[in-house]
Amino acid sequence: MEQEMKVGRIGVAGETNISREKAAGTSEFRELFSDMVAEKLGKIPETIEDMTKTQKELKELRAQREFTETVKHVLPDGSIRVSEYKQGHLESCYIQKPKLHAVVDTSKPIPRAADGSLLTSQQETKLVPRRNILEE
């Protein structure tokens, strides 16, 4: 069995074939890398424009998604519960008390004078909630 063995030739200052190939590879890599860098540098303004355009689109979408919803619910006592939602989450909730005005209480008897006449001006009143849709 004969084994072929190649012995690297010794060049300048003890440099072998392997180190020459490495050196040649690094110079090719340097050229390739510098070409890639030059190409990327030429695309930087376009990339920046694309990034700013994308950021503007994202801001617009976020603005569209941000919404405030006000829900009014009339309670049995005449007051209104106002709930404000921001982006689907409860932001605040408060109750508006109704405006009350006096109304004649028909369940109470009308007072009579000594002569038996009805005193409608002295009839008892009660406060009832008053809602005006146009005011709200």
Side-chain angles (χ1 to χ4, degrees):
M1 283 169 98
E2 286 185 36
Q3 292 180 352
E4 291 184 25
M5 202 159 130
K6 292 185 178 180
V7 177
R9 165 181 109 183
I10 296 181
V12 180
E15 187 179 31
T16 61
N17 287 338
I18 295 172
S19 60
R20 279 190 212 120
E21 289 176 10
K22 284 183 182 176
T26 56
S27 64
E28 290 174 8
F29 177 74
R30 285 181 188 158
E31 290 174 14
L32 180 65
F33 185 75
S34 63
D35 291 342
M36 288 174 57
V37 168
E39 183 180 329
K40 294 290 182 183
L41 284 175
K43 291 184 179 179
I44 286 179
E46 297 171 4
T47 306
I48 291 174
E49 289 175 8
D50 291 343
M51 286 175 52
T52 55
K53 188 189 320 179
T54 305
Q55 287 176 350
K56 286 180 183 177
E57 290 175 1
L58 284 173
K59 285 181 183 178
E60 290 174 4
L61 289 174
R62 285 184 187 131
Q64 288 175 0
R65 190 177 62 178
E66 291 179 7
F67 63 93
T68 303
E69 180 181 11
T70 304
V71 177
K72 294 182 178 182
H73 182 74
V74 179
L75 299 176
D77 66 345
S79 58
I80 296 177
R81 183 177 62 215
V82 179
S83 304
E84 293 179 0
Y85 295 92
K86 189 171 189 178
Q87 295 181 13
H89 299 288
L90 183 64
E91 189 71 22
S92 67
C93 182
Y94 58 93
I95 295 177
Q96 287 181 342
K97 294 292 180 185
K99 295 178 183 175
L100 302 175
H101 69 281
V103 176
V104 174
D105 189 1
T106 56
S107 64
K108 305 283 181 176
I110 301 173
R112 296 184 180 259
D115 61 352
S117 62
L118 298 175
L119 300 172
T120 55
S121 61
Q122 295 179 358
Q123 193 173 3
E124 292 187 35
T125 60
K126 63 179 178 180
L127 296 174
V128 292
R130 178 175 174 250
R131 286 280 168 217
N132 187 354
I133 299 173
L134 299 176
E135 289 179 1
E136 298 174 7

